[in-house]
């Protein structure tokens, strides 16, 4: 998975034009890309973007399908009229499968569907740039020769003649990148997922899915160019040793699959053992680097497109249990059942996005002293196909794993500011690791505060467990920036891990919200009282206020007050509601 630092070696001398009417995407993405590109121009409509193209040339152009001024087809046509082989990435907003299929005929460099993870977006940009760089390097000698021919013609004839014009036309054509076949991976030229989808039909196939276990090690320790070399060497070795009745596909930067029409899964299982032995005994060597490669492999035998999902799920199960092994797909495994549940909720969330059925409810945090409201926590809910209101606890994990967590946070932020802009109440928003890691949050929150005339001190940010458990310098910097702007910092699920104690101090949190498990059974389990008492002592020693969540009875509320917890929240006090 690409990070900004991976792009810098290959993009620092390149220029980019980003055209998107969605201000939040435009602002968030360009702010990040400006750190690694030589120049980034941004346009919030196609007309402005076309104006930039009249005066500047760009190595890469990113456009969005939601343009209200000009269709994607016309915008691409205008760009191609200036540079026939311009590299173009299209981001799709609410596009149907038929529309995406139509876009694929436009010879675009890549297509990525919104909402997307920033890491997937950066992977997409990196793949396109690496292909661009490869094409340009490959053509350098031919370009130099053509330039020499042009110079020779000028000296020999002394003026531009027909032959020279022909040479210049060839030179111009070669200086621009060649069109990209969307069915091929841009790095390895292997058939990709789109090509695989076209192959899978109702016939039975066997598939071996391979995911490089130590790929993150390459990302952290080598630059993008060296990592790309490793990938190419891995592909070269696989192609040398796989049987002729298997076809190799490059699915993602670090993922591949082997497809066979064999009637039995046994040959595929044997192949997995062969690949494991091959890479175990023969390291990949590039210059002074030598690395052993191992894979998480998943095997399945099935008909149609479901084959890919089963093999990929089996590979994920192998990775979950330590990697470097092959797992045969078993629908009864606990891991697969959890994944199926995750896929179910992912689809529910996507439908809720499309149908705009995501809502916000509000639950107060009350003082245990004077019973005043400190703030309202903004809680996310959605309506499923049966019109049942679903709590975020059921779907947020799946939403985050499928890259929709950040988009849900943005929807919650938008609805929260709209709800509270005409009130004097304070409110809180739940913030996860992805929100802080994507670096969009501070700009968006400041923009919303200014637009809604809400001072930052009315906004409380509840830092979720996945963020305060992650020892990330980037997350620490983002929280520090948010605090410096006047936003209140609350550590959620405090006490769930040792990391929450460290985070409370590093983030200089003003509030900690005690892990709900301790509070629910506070009056029944003596050790939980001791745990909460210790948390309260820690908080008081460091000038931090405490909040107890999951107050579901008078008995629990009395216990919380007796332990000197300052604020409470829960169904016994007030259920989440659309009203304040």
């Amino acid at each position: 998975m690409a990070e900004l630092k991976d792009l810098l070696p290959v993009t620092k001398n390149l220029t980019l034009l980003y055209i998107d009417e969605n201000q939040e995407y435009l602002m968030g993405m360009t702010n990040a890309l400006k750190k690694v590109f030589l120049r980034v121009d941004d346009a919030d409509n196609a007309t402005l973007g076309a104006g930039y193209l009249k005066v500047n040339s760009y190595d890469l152009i990113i456009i969005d399908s939601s343009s209200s001024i000009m269709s994607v087809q016309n915008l691409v046509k205008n760009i191609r009229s200036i540079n026939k082989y311009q590299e173009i990435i299209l981001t799709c907003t609410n596009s149907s499968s038929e529309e995406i299929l139509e876009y694929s005929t436009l010879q675009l460099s890549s297509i990525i569907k919104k909402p997307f993870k920033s890491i997937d977006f950066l992977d997409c940009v990196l793949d396109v740039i690496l292909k661009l760089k490869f094409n340009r390097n490959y053509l350098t000698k031919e370009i130099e020769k053509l330039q020499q021919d042009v110079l020779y013609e000028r000296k020999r004839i002394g003026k531009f003649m027909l032959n020279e014009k022909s040479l210049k036309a060839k030179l111009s054509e070669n200086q621009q990148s060649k069109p990209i076949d969307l069915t091929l991976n841009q790095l390895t030229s292997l058939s990709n997922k789109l090509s695989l989808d076209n192959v899978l039909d109702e016939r039975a196939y066997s598939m071996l899915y391979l995911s490089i276990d130590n790929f993150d090690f390459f990302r952290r320790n080598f630059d993008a160019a060296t990592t790309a070399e490793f990938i190419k060497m891995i592909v070269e070795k696989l192609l040398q040793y796989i049987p002729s009745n298997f076809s190799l596909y490059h699915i993602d930067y670090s993922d591949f699959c082997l497809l066979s029409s064999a009637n039995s899964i046994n040959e595929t299982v044997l192949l997995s053992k062969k690949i494991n032995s091959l890479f175990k005994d023969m390291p990949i060597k590039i210059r002074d680097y030598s690395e052993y490669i191992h894979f998480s492999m998943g095997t399945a035998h099935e008909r149609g497109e479901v084959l890919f999902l089963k093999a990929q799920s089996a590979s994920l199960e192998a990775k979950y249990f330590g990697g470097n092994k092959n797992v045969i797909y078993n629908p009864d495994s606990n891991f697969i059942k959890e994944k199926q549940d995750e896929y179910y909720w992912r689809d529910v969330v996507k439908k809720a996005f499309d149908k705009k059925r995501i809502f916000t409810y509000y639950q107060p945090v009350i003082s245990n002293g004077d019973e005043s409201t400190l703030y309202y926590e903004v809680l996310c809910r959605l309506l499923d196909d049966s019109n049942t209101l679903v709590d975020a606890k059921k779907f947020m994990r799946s939403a985050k794993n499928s890259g929709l967590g950040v988009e849900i946070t943005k929807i919650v932020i938008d609805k929260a500011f709209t709800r509270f802009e005409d009130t004097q109440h304070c409110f809180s928003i739940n913030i996860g690791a992805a929100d802080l890691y994507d670096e969009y949050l501070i700009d968006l929150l400041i923009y919303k505060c200014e637009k809604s005339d809400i001072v930052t001190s009315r906004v409380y940010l509840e830092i979720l467990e996945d963020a305060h458990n992650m020892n990330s310098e980037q997350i620490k910097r983002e929280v520090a920036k948010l605090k410096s702007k006047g936003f209140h910092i609350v550590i959620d699920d405090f006490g769930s891990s040792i990391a929450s104690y460290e985070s409370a101090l590093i983030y200089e949190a003003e509030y900690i919200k005690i892990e709900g498990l301790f509070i629910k059974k506070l009056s029944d389990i003596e050790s939980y009282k001791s745990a909460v008492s210790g948390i309260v002592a820690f908080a008081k020693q460091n000038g931090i206020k405490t909040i107890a969540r999951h107050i579901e009875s008078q008995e629990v509320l009395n216990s919380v007050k007796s332990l000197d917890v300052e604020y409470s929240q829960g169904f016994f006090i007030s259920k989440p509601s659309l009203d304040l």
Side-chain angles (χ1 to χ4, degrees), residues 379-423:
L379 301 167
C380 185
R381 301 286 187 268
L382 64 76
L383 279 178
D384 64 15
D385 287 341
S386 61
N387 289 325
T388 301
L389 194 66
V390 181
D391 190 296
K393 289 182 292 187
K394 291 187 176 181
F395 63 80
M396 275 307 296
R397 179 182 174 185
S398 297
K400 289 180 178 180
N401 289 343
S402 57
L404 296 172
V406 169
E407 298 311 310
I408 289 179
T409 302
K410 289 178 179 179
I411 290 174
V412 169
I413 289 172
D414 185 61
K415 290 181 178 295
F417 276 87
T418 299
R419 182 66 183 85
F420 286 93
E421 64 181 348
D422 294 327
T423 76

Short mmCIF file of all heavy atoms in Angstrom, two decimals, residues 379-423:
data_model
loop_
_atom_site.label_atom_id
_atom_site.label_comp_id
_atom_site.label_asym_id
_atom_site.label_seq_id
_atom_site.Cartn_x
_atom_site.Cartn_y
_atom_site.Cartn_z
N LEU A 379 -24.11 10.18 17.03
CA LEU A 379 -24.04 8.74 16.78
C LEU A 379 -24.58 8.43 15.38
O LEU A 379 -25.60 8.98 14.97
CB LEU A 379 -24.85 7.98 17.82
CG LEU A 379 -24.40 8.19 19.28
CD1 LEU A 379 -25.44 7.67 20.24
CD2 LEU A 379 -23.06 7.51 19.52
N CYS A 380 -23.90 7.54 14.69
CA CYS A 380 -24.29 7.19 13.32
C CYS A 380 -25.26 6.01 13.32
O CYS A 380 -25.07 5.04 14.05
CB CYS A 380 -23.04 6.86 12.51
SG CYS A 380 -23.37 6.55 10.78
N ARG A 381 -26.27 6.10 12.49
CA ARG A 381 -27.24 5.02 12.29
C ARG A 381 -27.54 4.92 10.79
O ARG A 381 -27.35 5.88 10.05
CB ARG A 381 -28.56 5.30 13.03
CG ARG A 381 -28.41 5.48 14.54
CD ARG A 381 -28.15 4.15 15.22
NE ARG A 381 -28.17 4.27 16.67
CZ ARG A 381 -27.09 4.49 17.41
NH1 ARG A 381 -25.91 4.65 16.84
NH2 ARG A 381 -27.18 4.55 18.73
N LEU A 382 -28.01 3.74 10.36
CA LEU A 382 -28.47 3.61 8.98
C LEU A 382 -29.74 2.78 8.93
O LEU A 382 -30.02 2.00 9.83
CB LEU A 382 -27.38 3.03 8.07
CG LEU A 382 -26.85 1.60 8.27
CD1 LEU A 382 -27.82 0.55 7.76
CD2 LEU A 382 -25.52 1.44 7.55
N LEU A 383 -30.49 2.98 7.85
CA LEU A 383 -31.68 2.16 7.60
C LEU A 383 -31.33 1.10 6.57
O LEU A 383 -30.82 1.41 5.48
CB LEU A 383 -32.83 3.03 7.08
CG LEU A 383 -33.65 3.81 8.11
CD1 LEU A 383 -34.71 4.64 7.38
CD2 LEU A 383 -34.31 2.89 9.10
N ASP A 384 -31.58 -0.18 6.90
CA ASP A 384 -31.31 -1.24 5.93
C ASP A 384 -32.51 -1.42 5.00
O ASP A 384 -33.48 -0.64 5.06
CB ASP A 384 -30.92 -2.54 6.63
CG ASP A 384 -32.04 -3.11 7.50
OD1 ASP A 384 -33.21 -2.67 7.35
OD2 ASP A 384 -31.76 -4.00 8.33
N ASP A 385 -32.45 -2.44 4.16
CA ASP A 385 -33.51 -2.63 3.16
C ASP A 385 -34.87 -2.94 3.78
O ASP A 385 -35.91 -2.74 3.15
CB ASP A 385 -33.12 -3.77 2.21
CG ASP A 385 -32.01 -3.34 1.25
OD1 ASP A 385 -31.81 -2.13 1.09
OD2 ASP A 385 -31.35 -4.22 0.68
N SER A 386 -34.85 -3.41 5.02
CA SER A 386 -36.12 -3.72 5.69
C SER A 386 -36.59 -2.55 6.57
O SER A 386 -37.46 -2.73 7.41
CB SER A 386 -35.97 -4.98 6.55
OG SER A 386 -34.99 -4.79 7.56
N ASN A 387 -35.96 -1.38 6.36
CA ASN A 387 -36.29 -0.17 7.13
C ASN A 387 -36.04 -0.33 8.62
O ASN A 387 -36.71 0.31 9.45
CB ASN A 387 -37.73 0.26 6.89
CG ASN A 387 -37.94 0.81 5.49
OD1 ASN A 387 -37.06 1.48 4.94
ND2 ASN A 387 -39.09 0.54 4.90
N THR A 388 -35.07 -1.17 8.96
CA THR A 388 -34.67 -1.33 10.35
C THR A 388 -33.51 -0.38 10.64
O THR A 388 -32.55 -0.30 9.87
CB THR A 388 -34.21 -2.77 10.62
OG1 THR A 388 -35.29 -3.67 10.33
CG2 THR A 388 -33.78 -2.95 12.08
N LEU A 389 -33.60 0.33 11.75
CA LEU A 389 -32.54 1.26 12.14
C LEU A 389 -31.39 0.45 12.75
O LEU A 389 -31.59 -0.30 13.72
CB LEU A 389 -33.07 2.28 13.15
CG LEU A 389 -32.18 3.50 13.40
CD1 LEU A 389 -32.07 4.36 12.15
CD2 LEU A 389 -32.75 4.32 14.57
N VAL A 390 -30.20 0.59 12.19
CA VAL A 390 -29.05 -0.23 12.59
C VAL A 390 -28.03 0.62 13.33
O VAL A 390 -27.62 1.69 12.86
CB VAL A 390 -28.39 -0.88 11.35
CG1 VAL A 390 -27.22 -1.76 11.78
CG2 VAL A 390 -29.42 -1.69 10.57
N ASP A 391 -27.58 0.12 14.48
CA ASP A 391 -26.56 0.78 15.29
C ASP A 391 -25.20 0.66 14.60
O ASP A 391 -24.88 -0.35 13.97
CB ASP A 391 -26.50 0.12 16.67
CG ASP A 391 -25.64 0.88 17.65
OD1 ASP A 391 -24.42 0.98 17.42
OD2 ASP A 391 -26.19 1.38 18.65
N ALA A 392 -24.37 1.70 14.76
CA ALA A 392 -23.06 1.72 14.11
C ALA A 392 -22.17 0.57 14.55
O ALA A 392 -21.28 0.15 13.80
CB ALA A 392 -22.37 3.06 14.37
N LYS A 393 -22.38 0.05 15.77
CA LYS A 393 -21.55 -1.05 16.25
C LYS A 393 -21.62 -2.27 15.33
O LYS A 393 -20.68 -3.05 15.25
CB LYS A 393 -21.98 -1.45 17.67
CG LYS A 393 -21.63 -0.43 18.75
CD LYS A 393 -22.03 -0.90 20.12
CE LYS A 393 -23.53 -0.96 20.28
NZ LYS A 393 -23.95 -1.26 21.68
N LYS A 394 -22.75 -2.42 14.63
CA LYS A 394 -22.91 -3.58 13.76
C LYS A 394 -22.20 -3.42 12.42
O LYS A 394 -21.78 -4.42 11.82
CB LYS A 394 -24.40 -3.86 13.53
CG LYS A 394 -25.13 -4.36 14.76
CD LYS A 394 -26.56 -4.77 14.41
CE LYS A 394 -27.28 -5.37 15.61
NZ LYS A 394 -28.65 -5.80 15.28
N PHE A 395 -22.09 -2.19 11.93
CA PHE A 395 -21.59 -2.04 10.55
C PHE A 395 -20.28 -1.26 10.42
O PHE A 395 -19.66 -1.28 9.35
CB PHE A 395 -22.65 -1.38 9.67
CG PHE A 395 -23.04 0.03 10.06
CD1 PHE A 395 -22.24 1.12 9.73
CD2 PHE A 395 -24.22 0.26 10.75
CE1 PHE A 395 -22.60 2.40 10.09
CE2 PHE A 395 -24.60 1.55 11.11
CZ PHE A 395 -23.78 2.62 10.77
N MET A 396 -19.83 -0.57 11.47
CA MET A 396 -18.65 0.30 11.31
C MET A 396 -17.37 -0.48 11.02
O MET A 396 -16.52 -0.02 10.25
CB MET A 396 -18.45 1.18 12.53
CG MET A 396 -19.27 2.46 12.50
SD MET A 396 -19.04 3.45 10.99
CE MET A 396 -17.31 3.89 11.11
N ARG A 397 -17.23 -1.65 11.62
CA ARG A 397 -16.03 -2.45 11.34
C ARG A 397 -15.94 -2.80 9.86
O ARG A 397 -14.89 -2.65 9.23
CB ARG A 397 -16.03 -3.72 12.20
CG ARG A 397 -14.82 -4.61 11.94
CD ARG A 397 -14.90 -5.88 12.77
NE ARG A 397 -13.82 -6.80 12.45
CZ ARG A 397 -13.71 -8.02 12.94
NH1 ARG A 397 -14.60 -8.47 13.81
NH2 ARG A 397 -12.71 -8.80 12.59
N SER A 398 -17.06 -3.26 9.30
CA SER A 398 -17.09 -3.60 7.88
C SER A 398 -16.89 -2.36 7.02
O SER A 398 -16.20 -2.41 6.00
CB SER A 398 -18.43 -4.26 7.52
OG SER A 398 -18.59 -5.47 8.21
N ALA A 399 -17.49 -1.25 7.45
CA ALA A 399 -17.33 0.00 6.70
C ALA A 399 -15.88 0.43 6.65
O ALA A 399 -15.36 0.83 5.60
CB ALA A 399 -18.19 1.09 7.32
N LYS A 400 -15.19 0.34 7.77
CA LYS A 400 -13.78 0.73 7.82
C LYS A 400 -12.92 -0.21 6.98
O LYS A 400 -12.04 0.24 6.24
CB LYS A 400 -13.29 0.74 9.27
CG LYS A 400 -13.85 1.88 10.10
CD LYS A 400 -13.32 1.84 11.53
CE LYS A 400 -13.86 3.02 12.34
NZ LYS A 400 -13.35 2.99 13.74
N ASN A 401 -13.17 -1.51 7.09
CA ASN A 401 -12.38 -2.48 6.34
C ASN A 401 -12.57 -2.36 4.83
O ASN A 401 -11.70 -2.76 4.06
CB ASN A 401 -12.71 -3.90 6.79
CG ASN A 401 -12.19 -4.21 8.18
OD1 ASN A 401 -11.33 -3.49 8.70
ND2 ASN A 401 -12.70 -5.25 8.79
N SER A 402 -13.71 -1.82 4.42
CA SER A 402 -13.97 -1.67 2.98
C SER A 402 -13.70 -0.24 2.51
O SER A 402 -14.06 0.13 1.39
CB SER A 402 -15.41 -2.07 2.66
OG SER A 402 -16.34 -1.31 3.41
N GLY A 403 -13.07 0.57 3.38
CA GLY A 403 -12.66 1.91 2.96
C GLY A 403 -13.74 2.97 3.05
O GLY A 403 -13.57 4.06 2.50
N LEU A 404 -14.85 2.67 3.74
CA LEU A 404 -15.95 3.62 3.82
C LEU A 404 -16.01 4.37 5.14
O LEU A 404 -16.85 5.24 5.32
CB LEU A 404 -17.28 2.89 3.59
CG LEU A 404 -17.46 2.25 2.21
CD1 LEU A 404 -18.73 1.41 2.19
CD2 LEU A 404 -17.51 3.31 1.13
N GLY A 405 -15.10 4.03 6.06
CA GLY A 405 -15.12 4.66 7.37
C GLY A 405 -14.95 6.16 7.31
O GLY A 405 -15.68 6.91 7.98
N VAL A 406 -14.00 6.62 6.52
CA VAL A 406 -13.75 8.06 6.39
C VAL A 406 -14.96 8.77 5.79
O VAL A 406 -15.33 9.87 6.22
CB VAL A 406 -12.49 8.32 5.54
CG1 VAL A 406 -12.36 9.80 5.17
CG2 VAL A 406 -11.24 7.88 6.30
N GLU A 407 -15.58 8.14 4.80
CA GLU A 407 -16.75 8.75 4.16
C GLU A 407 -17.92 8.87 5.14
O GLU A 407 -18.67 9.85 5.11
CB GLU A 407 -17.17 7.94 2.93
CG GLU A 407 -16.11 7.87 1.85
CD GLU A 407 -15.52 9.23 1.52
OE1 GLU A 407 -16.30 10.17 1.27
OE2 GLU A 407 -14.29 9.35 1.53
N ILE A 408 -18.07 7.87 6.01
CA ILE A 408 -19.11 7.95 7.03
C ILE A 408 -18.82 9.10 7.99
O ILE A 408 -19.72 9.87 8.36
CB ILE A 408 -19.24 6.62 7.79
CG1 ILE A 408 -19.86 5.56 6.87
CG2 ILE A 408 -20.08 6.77 9.05
CD1 ILE A 408 -20.01 4.20 7.50
N THR A 409 -17.56 9.23 8.39
CA THR A 409 -17.19 10.34 9.28
C THR A 409 -17.53 11.68 8.64
O THR A 409 -18.05 12.58 9.30
CB THR A 409 -15.68 10.29 9.61
OG1 THR A 409 -15.37 9.04 10.22
CG2 THR A 409 -15.31 11.41 10.57
N LYS A 410 -17.26 11.81 7.34
CA LYS A 410 -17.55 13.08 6.66
C LYS A 410 -19.06 13.37 6.64
O LYS A 410 -19.48 14.52 6.80
CB LYS A 410 -16.99 13.03 5.23
CG LYS A 410 -15.47 13.08 5.17
CD LYS A 410 -14.97 12.99 3.74
CE LYS A 410 -13.45 13.05 3.68
NZ LYS A 410 -12.94 12.93 2.30
N ILE A 411 -19.85 12.31 6.43
CA ILE A 411 -21.30 12.49 6.45
C ILE A 411 -21.76 12.91 7.84
O ILE A 411 -22.58 13.83 8.00
CB ILE A 411 -22.01 11.18 6.02
CG1 ILE A 411 -21.77 10.92 4.53
CG2 ILE A 411 -23.51 11.26 6.31
CD1 ILE A 411 -22.30 9.58 4.06
N VAL A 412 -21.22 12.25 8.87
CA VAL A 412 -21.58 12.58 10.25
C VAL A 412 -21.19 14.03 10.57
O VAL A 412 -21.97 14.77 11.19
CB VAL A 412 -20.90 11.60 11.24
CG1 VAL A 412 -21.04 12.09 12.68
CG2 VAL A 412 -21.49 10.20 11.09
N ILE A 413 -20.00 14.44 10.14
CA ILE A 413 -19.55 15.82 10.37
C ILE A 413 -20.51 16.80 9.71
O ILE A 413 -20.93 17.79 10.31
CB ILE A 413 -18.12 16.01 9.85
CG1 ILE A 413 -17.12 15.27 10.76
CG2 ILE A 413 -17.75 17.50 9.77
CD1 ILE A 413 -15.70 15.25 10.23
N ASP A 414 -20.86 16.52 8.47
CA ASP A 414 -21.75 17.41 7.73
C ASP A 414 -23.11 17.53 8.43
O ASP A 414 -23.64 18.65 8.62
CB ASP A 414 -21.92 16.88 6.31
CG ASP A 414 -22.74 17.83 5.44
OD1 ASP A 414 -22.30 18.98 5.25
OD2 ASP A 414 -23.81 17.43 4.96
N LYS A 415 -23.68 16.40 8.83
CA LYS A 415 -24.99 16.42 9.48
C LYS A 415 -24.92 17.06 10.86
O LYS A 415 -25.85 17.77 11.29
CB LYS A 415 -25.55 15.00 9.58
CG LYS A 415 -25.95 14.39 8.22
CD LYS A 415 -26.52 12.99 8.39
CE LYS A 415 -26.98 12.41 7.06
NZ LYS A 415 -28.11 13.15 6.47
N ALA A 416 -23.82 16.82 11.57
CA ALA A 416 -23.68 17.38 12.92
C ALA A 416 -23.63 18.90 12.88
O ALA A 416 -24.32 19.58 13.66
CB ALA A 416 -22.42 16.82 13.58
N PHE A 417 -22.82 19.46 12.00
CA PHE A 417 -22.71 20.92 11.93
C PHE A 417 -24.03 21.55 11.47
O PHE A 417 -24.40 22.62 11.95
CB PHE A 417 -21.56 21.31 11.01
CG PHE A 417 -20.23 21.32 11.70
CD1 PHE A 417 -19.46 20.17 11.80
CD2 PHE A 417 -19.74 22.48 12.27
CE1 PHE A 417 -18.24 20.17 12.44
CE2 PHE A 417 -18.52 22.50 12.92
CZ PHE A 417 -17.76 21.34 13.01
N THR A 418 -24.73 20.87 10.57
CA THR A 418 -26.04 21.38 10.14
C THR A 418 -27.02 21.37 11.31
O THR A 418 -27.80 22.33 11.49
CB THR A 418 -26.59 20.51 8.99
OG1 THR A 418 -25.69 20.57 7.88
CG2 THR A 418 -27.95 21.03 8.54
N ARG A 419 -26.97 20.32 12.13
CA ARG A 419 -27.92 20.19 13.25
C ARG A 419 -27.64 21.21 14.36
O ARG A 419 -28.57 21.73 14.99
CB ARG A 419 -27.84 18.78 13.83
CG ARG A 419 -28.82 18.52 14.99
CD ARG A 419 -30.25 18.58 14.50
NE ARG A 419 -31.23 18.41 15.55
CZ ARG A 419 -31.69 19.36 16.34
NH1 ARG A 419 -31.21 20.61 16.20
NH2 ARG A 419 -32.59 19.12 17.26
N PHE A 420 -26.37 21.50 14.62
CA PHE A 420 -26.02 22.31 15.79
C PHE A 420 -25.73 23.78 15.47
O PHE A 420 -25.49 24.56 16.39
CB PHE A 420 -24.82 21.70 16.51
CG PHE A 420 -25.14 20.45 17.28
CD1 PHE A 420 -24.99 19.20 16.70
CD2 PHE A 420 -25.62 20.52 18.58
CE1 PHE A 420 -25.29 18.04 17.41
CE2 PHE A 420 -25.93 19.37 19.29
CZ PHE A 420 -25.77 18.13 18.70
N GLU A 421 -25.75 24.17 14.18
CA GLU A 421 -25.35 25.53 13.84
C GLU A 421 -26.30 26.59 14.39
O GLU A 421 -25.89 27.72 14.64
CB GLU A 421 -25.20 25.68 12.33
CG GLU A 421 -26.47 25.51 11.52
CD GLU A 421 -26.21 25.67 10.02
OE1 GLU A 421 -25.11 26.13 9.66
OE2 GLU A 421 -27.10 25.33 9.23
N ASP A 422 -27.56 26.25 14.61
CA ASP A 422 -28.53 27.22 15.14
C ASP A 422 -28.79 27.00 16.63
O ASP A 422 -29.83 27.43 17.15
CB ASP A 422 -29.83 27.13 14.35
CG ASP A 422 -29.67 27.58 12.91
OD1 ASP A 422 -28.85 28.48 12.67
OD2 ASP A 422 -30.34 27.01 12.03
N THR A 423 -27.88 26.30 17.31
CA THR A 423 -28.02 26.07 18.75
C THR A 423 -26.75 26.56 19.45
O THR A 423 -25.78 26.95 18.81
CB THR A 423 -28.22 24.57 19.06
OG1 THR A 423 -26.95 23.90 18.94
CG2 THR A 423 -29.23 23.94 18.13
#
